[in-house]
């Protein structure tokens, strides 16, 4: 597998889960963590336990900017690693030319597979994913809309399978019982988890608090990013501190699950080029319904207890919050049903079976 193990995001969470699934069945895994020199200074927390023999990690970092010699040196190092390992399947996830070219040049990989966990839309003529069209054997996408985007944007004329990404395995976390028993309209507590960047529209949603306060008691924001300061300033300047809260970075693991499970609903008003955000899977795993736009592959998460609205219509998102709060007030949201939906389609065990069957079919074909 090739991607990055540095940082805390959807790609890292997915690759960690897939690694765990492979190791649990006795497969041998080499993980190629690619990046730039600055990323080498960040604590690599997702893969800090390296199992000798069955799991090894190789980190290939190069200088930022136009240091072509450094990038070329990293590529040669990757080629040497692949020559030594000779994998049945090379699975790439992410972007960057060194994610694609060295594997093809090595001529040592059984099958070259790309897993698209972003939107499937190109970032321009120099998008490294163009290499997939010419050099790779197979593409799988995180969601059906993502597959359609990739096929149209990059001119991929072969079939694209759909395999969801692994989220945090919260089905194994013992959560306190969260029962939606007719929460009075206007008393629900909502939360937003994720990167605070303009396309997520969190700052916009905070600005809508004069309307949201009719359906919500509290709005809690967790995450970091360039919109953190504007959000904090809006809360302070409007004296909303008793109802709207910015908490900064949120915890991981069981502490994150317990925190997420303490809210009545989660919100994601994004209009960006999304894949299928794992935060929504994690919300469902905890039995907490969400209101989200239909950006990227989010439509694949549709279920009876959550609301997905048109990303092009801001008013639709506000109405969606009001509608879900009305359903919470009437007892029309079933937390157990939501957890079952997640468990059947997106739990660790469900995805482990799908992924291992897929990879096994490639290895023997």
């Amino acid at each position: 597998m090739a991607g990055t193990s540095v940082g805390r995001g959807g790609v890292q969470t997915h690759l960690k889960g897939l690694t765990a699934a492979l190791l649990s069945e006795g497969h041998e895994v080499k993980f190629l963590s690619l990046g730039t020199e600055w990323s080498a200074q960040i604590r690599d927390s997702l893969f800090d336990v390296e199992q000798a023999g069955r799991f090894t990690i190789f980190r290939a970092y190069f200088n930022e900017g136009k240091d072509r010699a450094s990038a070329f040196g990293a590529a040669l190092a990757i080629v040497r690693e692949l020559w030594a390992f000779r994998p049945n399947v090379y699975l790439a996830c992410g972007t960057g030319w060194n994610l694609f070219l060295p594997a093809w040049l090595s001529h040592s990989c059984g099958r070259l597979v790309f897993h698209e966990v972003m939107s499937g839309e190109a970032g321009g003529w120099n998008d490294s994913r163009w290499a997939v069209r010419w050099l790779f054997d197979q593409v799988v996408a995180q969601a059906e809309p993502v597959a359609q985007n990739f096929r149209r944007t990059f001119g991929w004329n072969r079939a694209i399978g759909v395999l969801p990404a692994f989220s945090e395995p919260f089905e194994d976390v013992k959560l306190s019982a969260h029962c939606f028993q007719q929460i009075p309209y206007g008393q629900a507590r909502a939360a937003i988890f994720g990167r605070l960047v303009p396309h997520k529209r969190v700052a916009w949603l905070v600005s809508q608090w004069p309307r949201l306060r009719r359906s919500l008691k509290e709005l809690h924001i967790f995450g970091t990013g360039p919109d953190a300061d504007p959000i904090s300033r809006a809360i302070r300047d409007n004296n909303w501190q008793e109802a709207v809260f910015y908490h900064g970075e949120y915890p991981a693991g069981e502490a994150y699950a317990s925190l997420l499970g303490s809210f009545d609903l989660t919100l994601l008003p994004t209009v960006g080029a999304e894949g299928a955000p794992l935060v929504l899977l994690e919300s469902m795993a905890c039995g907490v319904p969400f209101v989200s736009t239909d950006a990227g592959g989010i439509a694949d998460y549709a279920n009876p207890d959550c609301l997905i609205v048109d990303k092009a219509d801001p008013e639709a998102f506000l109405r969606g919050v009001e509608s879900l709060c009305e359903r919470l007030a009437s007892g029309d949201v079933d937390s157990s049903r939501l957890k079952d939906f997640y468990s059947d389609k997106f739990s660790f065990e469900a995805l482990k079976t799908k992924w291992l069957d897929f990879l096994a079919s490639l290895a023997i074909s």
Side-chain angles (χ1 to χ4, degrees), residues 119 194-205 226-227 268-275 277 293 295-296 298 311:
S119 66
R195 291 185 302 123
L196 302 179
V197 292
H199 74 258
K200 298 288 187 180
R201 287 199 312 181
V202 179
W204 165 78
L205 191 63
D227 276 3
L268 185 61
T270 181
V271 292
E274 303 283 352
T293 66
I298 294 174
K311 71 176 184 179

Side-chain angles (χ1 to χ4, degrees), residues 33-40 59-65 67-75 78 95-99:
S33 182
L34 314 182
T36 53
E37 289 291 350
W38 72 265
S39 62
R59 297 171 176 85
Y61 299 120
F62 53 92
N63 295 327
E64 287 186 277
D67 189 343
R68 295 181 179 177
S70 174
F72 183 70
I78 296 167
T95 59
W97 292 100
N98 269 349
L99 196 66

Side-chain angles (χ1 to χ4, degrees), residues 295-365:
I298 294 174
D300 275 16
Y301 293 163
N303 67 84
D305 296 293
C306 300
L307 287 177
I308 299 174
V309 303
D310 182 358
K311 71 176 184 179
D313 185 358
E315 175 66 20
F317 191 88
L318 298 175
R319 290 197 306 268
V321 175
E322 293 163 350
S323 176
L324 187 55
C325 288
E326 289 172 354
R327 293 179 58 191
L328 288 168
S330 65
D332 189 34
V333 173
D334 189 329
S335 178
S336 295
R337 179 174 60 192
L338 183 55
K339 288 182 180 180
D340 288 343
F341 171 80
Y342 164 83
S343 181
D344 290 343
K345 294 182 176 293
F346 304 107
S347 66
F348 178 83
E349 289 299 326
L351 294 187
K352 173 182 171 181
T353 298
K354 293 177 182 178
W355 270 99
L356 293 185
D357 286 349
F358 168 70
L359 293 173
S361 71
L362 294 179
I364 62 177
S365 63

Side-chain angles (χ1 to χ4, degrees), residues 71-87:
F72 183 70
L76 285 180
I78 296 167
V79 169
R80 287 194 295 268
E81 287 296 313
L82 293 172
W83 278 345
F85 190 65
R86 308 193 74 82

Side-chain angles (χ1 to χ4, degrees), residues 25-326:
E25 295 298 316
H27 296 288
E28 188 175 359
V29 179
K30 178 177 283 292
F31 189 92
L32 304 179
S33 182
L34 314 182
T36 53
E37 289 291 350
W38 72 265
S39 62
Q41 308 304 316
I42 302 174
R43 181 173 180 269
D44 188 347
S45 60
L46 288 180
F47 292 86
D48 52 6
V49 178
E50 299 179 16
Q51 301 183 28
R54 290 194 301 123
F55 175 61
T56 55
I57 185 166
F58 176 77
R59 297 171 176 85
Y61 299 120
F62 53 92
N63 295 327
E64 287 186 277
K66 298 181 179 179
D67 189 343
R68 295 181 179 177
S70 174
F72 183 70
L76 285 180
I78 296 167
V79 169
R80 287 194 295 268
E81 287 296 313
L82 293 172
W83 278 345
F85 190 65
R86 308 193 74 82
N88 299 109
V89 177
Y90 175 91
L91 178 72
C93 186
T95 59
W97 292 100
N98 269 349
L99 196 66
F100 307 114
L101 293 181
W104 177 74
L105 290 170
S106 74
H107 297 292
S108 61
C109 305
R111 299 295 294 275
L112 300 177
V113 182
F114 176 60
H115 187 210
E116 175 62 291
V117 297
M118 294 176 290
S119 66
E121 301 168 5
W125 65 268
N126 60 343
D127 191 310
S128 61
R129 288 172 293 171
W130 284 106
V132 174
R133 173 181 174 179
W134 306 110
L135 308 180
F136 271 49
D137 301 307
Q138 192 151 355
V139 172
V140 288
Q142 187 182 0
E144 181 57 38
V146 172
Q148 295 172 7
N149 287 342
F150 192 93
R151 186 180 297 109
R152 180 185 65 254
T153 302
F154 291 97
W156 184 268
N157 57 11
R158 284 168 276 170
I160 297 180
V162 174
L163 282 172
F166 285 84
S167 62
E168 291 277 3
F170 287 162
E171 61 268 29
D172 296 330
V173 177
K174 292 184 178 180
L175 300 170
S176 58
H178 196 124
C179 188
F180 302 109
Q181 294 297 324
Q182 297 184 330
I183 299 169
Y185 190 77
Q187 295 300 302
R189 299 171 66 247
I192 299 172
F193 293 89
R195 291 185 302 123
L196 302 179
V197 292
H199 74 258
K200 298 288 187 180
R201 287 199 312 181
V202 179
W204 165 78
L205 191 63
V206 169
S207 74
Q208 302 301 307
W209 181 247
R211 175 171 173 178
L212 291 170
R213 72 195 319 164
R214 290 181 257 164
S215 54
L216 298 175
K217 179 182 179 181
E218 296 174 357
L219 176 62
H220 295 254
I221 299 103
F222 298 87
T224 58
D227 276 3
D229 287 342
I231 289 168
S232 297
R233 188 163 52 249
I235 295 171
R236 182 178 61 252
D237 292 350
N238 290 283
N239 295 315
W240 292 336
Q241 295 94 329
E242 295 184 0
V244 184
F245 306 89
Y246 172 59
H247 301 279
E249 189 171 358
Y250 53 98
E254 293 189 18
Y256 171 37
S258 297
L259 176 63
L260 202 164
S262 69
F263 292 100
D264 302 307
L265 69 160
T266 58
L267 307 176
L268 185 61
T270 181
V271 292
E274 303 283 352
L278 299 187
V279 65
L280 299 180
L281 289 183
E282 291 154 357
S283 185
M284 290 189 286
C286 294
V288 178
F290 64 76
V291 179
S292 174
T293 66
D294 60 357
I298 294 174
D300 275 16
Y301 293 163
N303 67 84
D305 296 293
C306 300
L307 287 177
I308 299 174
V309 303
D310 182 358
K311 71 176 184 179
D313 185 358
E315 175 66 20
F317 191 88
L318 298 175
R319 290 197 306 268
V321 175
E322 293 163 350
S323 176
L324 187 55
C325 288
E326 289 172 354

